Amino acid sequence: MSSPYFTLKVVEVTHETSDAVTLHFEHPEKQAVSFKPGQFLTLILNLEGKEVRRSYSLSSTPHEAPRLAVTVKRVSGGLVSNYLLDNVKVGDEIKVMEPIGNFCLTCAPDNQRHILLFGAGSGITPLMSILKAVLKEEPNSQVSLLYGNSDEDSVIFKEQLEQLQQENAERFHIEYIYSQPKQACDHRGRMNQSMIIKILERLKLAKIDNALYYMCGPEGMMDEVRHALDVLHVPAERIFRESFVSNKLIEQQQQGQHGDVLSSDDDGEIVTQTVTIIYEGAEYHVEVEPDQTILEAALDQDVDLPYSCQAGLCTACRGKCLSGKVHLDEREGLSDAELEEGYVLNCVGHPLTSDVIIEIG
């Protein structure tokens, strides 16, 4: 099994807005990096004497190989985003983990469908990858984007979006929504249920059978989108959402401060248990204390397992539980089908029995 880690070189830096940049990478040997539109890349950096990892959605598409790109928006007080915006330059090399993620789309030239995208702020990044891929690879498909920002100057990819709209006038439509516009605009305020329904009805997109719906942005915005789609009776299997993890949550995870345990059917008390982990052909026996996750215990014992968000959302640390029982603090990253198959997330997992065996990869 090949290692999930490799190094990429920065070949271009594009300033999208005053607080967002796109980092364009290439493999040093010009190799194409395999990924699906909508997936993310994990950057691994050594900052202030510690290794830190952050996941950023790829804003490029596979047909742009050998280049691939992530777009980073500055977060107030954010260790990694501030470092990337202020320090990274062309020629730098950054260690990464191979692209992963379930928020993705597979294109086929024979598809004839409508892709509806709902984004706000930096939530546009995976949607940008998806929309470019559909426009390039599915000539009979259409794309509509509802994109919320504070004002006109904060729109990431503004020039690219306008160019794509001009080049695909019959297939690509954008509705901009501004909460604090600097000039007159069609939609003022935050994206909400009522606004979404009105826009879709005006565009005659409220009831279409061949549509898929992708949303990414703040949780409140995505809740509004979901409420609107529920009112329009959109089947749940046609709706996909991507949650970005806040810096606060990451810091809580790193400090061992976990949120409320989700209600579950798990029985048993969390006590010290030894977990067997099978990874890259080797077998590890990891002792997990009650206040540790399986991932934290493994890393403490120098078992270099794959991981990224440490919050149960990205699935980088996913493994299959072959025996025993594991409690998960957070389940959003796994589908019902994956849970039924026995998959667990080591970054939010705690062994409940003494016979837990987890296979990764």
Side-chain angles (χ1 to χ4, degrees):
M1 179 178 174
S2 61
S3 171
Y5 303 105
F6 52 94
T7 299
L8 294 176
K9 179 177 285 189
V10 179
V11 294
E12 186 180 349
V13 178
T14 303
H15 292 271
E16 305 289 353
T17 67
S18 61
D19 63 355
V21 301
T22 296
L23 304 178
H24 304 265
F25 297 104
E26 284 186 6
H27 192 283
E29 297 174 8
K30 301 287 186 182
Q31 295 177 7
V33 177
S34 177
F35 69 96
K36 293 180 180 179
Q39 291 189 310
F40 61 85
L41 187 70
T42 298
L43 308 187
I44 304 171
L45 303 163
N46 284 303
L47 301 179
E48 300 179 0
K50 293 182 179 180
E51 181 186 276
V52 292
R53 305 186 181 202
R54 292 292 187 275
S55 303
Y56 295 101
S57 295
L58 287 153
S59 51
S60 56
T61 58
H63 71 259
E64 296 172 61
R67 281 199 174 190
L68 67 166
V70 299
T71 302
V72 182
K73 185 174 182 179
R74 189 185 299 276
V75 175
S76 178
L79 176 65
V80 177
S81 67
N82 281 280
Y83 173 82
L84 293 173
L85 267 73
D86 295 337
N87 297 282
V88 172
K89 59 188 183 303
V90 172
D92 287 353
E93 293 191 347
I94 296 179
K95 184 180 177 183
V96 303
M97 199 169 85
E98 61 189 5
I100 57 171
N102 296 325
F103 184 78
C104 55
L105 173 143
T106 301
C107 292
D110 294 336
N111 283 339
Q112 185 172 349
R113 54 189 177 174
H114 205 124
I115 308 298
L116 281 84
L117 309 174
F118 304 85
S122 59
I124 187 64
T125 49
L127 304 181
M128 189 68 175
S129 178
I130 289 171
L131 73 87
K132 288 191 294 183
V134 174
L135 294 175
K136 175 78 173 178
E137 300 177 42
E138 297 190 0
N140 299 313
S141 292
Q142 292 183 294
V143 181
S144 296
L145 168 66
L146 277 64
Y147 185 15
N149 283 281
S150 59
D151 58 44
E152 298 84 349
D153 294 336
S154 61
V155 177
I156 301 173
F157 307 128
K158 185 69 176 288
E159 290 183 8
Q160 278 192 68
L161 289 169
E162 296 297 333
Q163 183 177 347
L164 286 167
Q165 195 169 26
Q166 290 175 11
E167 294 171 351
N168 304 273
E170 301 300 317
R171 300 176 51 221
F172 179 39
H173 180 75
I174 310 172
E175 294 280 336
Y176 292 105
I177 300 161
Y178 300 120
S179 58
Q180 298 173 309
K182 295 183 176 179
Q183 53 195 11
C185 64
D186 292 336
H187 309 294
R188 184 187 185 109
R190 295 190 181 276
M191 197 184 306
N192 59 43
Q193 174 182 323
S194 174
M195 181 189 294
I196 293 162
I197 292 174
K198 288 178 181 177
I199 292 174
L200 295 184
E201 287 179 341
R202 179 173 59 81
L203 298 177
K204 295 181 169 51
L205 298 175
K207 295 182 188 284
I208 45 179
D209 296 330
N210 64 342
L212 294 178
Y213 304 78
Y214 288 81
M215 66 182 90
C216 185
E219 294 297 318
M221 178 226 99
M222 292 197 290
D223 288 342
E224 292 291 325
V225 174
R226 187 57 191 260
H227 293 328
L229 298 182
D230 285 345
V231 170
L232 297 173
H233 304 293
V234 174
E237 62 269 18
R238 290 182 171 272
I239 302 171
F240 306 89
R241 64 186 282 161
E242 177 77 311
S243 296
F244 286 168
V245 183
S246 70
N247 278 359
K248 181 179 179 182
L249 181 54
I250 291 172
E251 289 167 5
Q252 287 176 340
Q253 292 287 341
Q254 290 174 338
Q255 295 166 9
Q257 301 168 0
H258 302 288
D260 292 335
V261 174
L262 299 185
S263 60
S264 67
D265 297 327
D266 292 337
D267 298 316
E269 181 184 356
I270 297 175
V271 298
T272 300
Q273 305 278 13
T274 298
V275 173
T276 299
I277 297 174
I278 303 169
Y279 177 55
E280 292 190 333
E283 188 174 295
Y284 304 92
H285 300 281
V286 176
E287 187 174 276
V288 185
E289 301 287 344
D291 62 346
Q292 288 182 307
T293 64
I294 295 169
L295 174 65
E296 289 168 342
L299 295 177
D300 283 351
Q301 294 169 51
D302 296 324
V303 182
D304 188 19
L305 298 184
Y307 71 95
S308 181
C309 75
Q310 292 184 274
L313 295 174
C314 77
T315 72
C317 66
R318 191 186 78 158
K320 190 168 187 179
C321 186
L322 304 181
S323 75
K325 198 166 187 180
V326 173
H327 172 80
L328 301 179
D329 294 338
E330 167 65 63
R331 300 185 176 202
E332 185 173 336
L334 294 175
S335 66
D336 290 342
E338 288 173 314
L339 288 167
E340 289 175 11
E341 287 289 316
Y343 285 101
V344 297
L345 300 172
N346 292 308
C347 72
V348 289
H350 306 270
L352 289 176
T353 57
S354 61
D355 58 344
V356 172
I357 300 175
I358 296 173
E359 184 175 30
I360 299 173

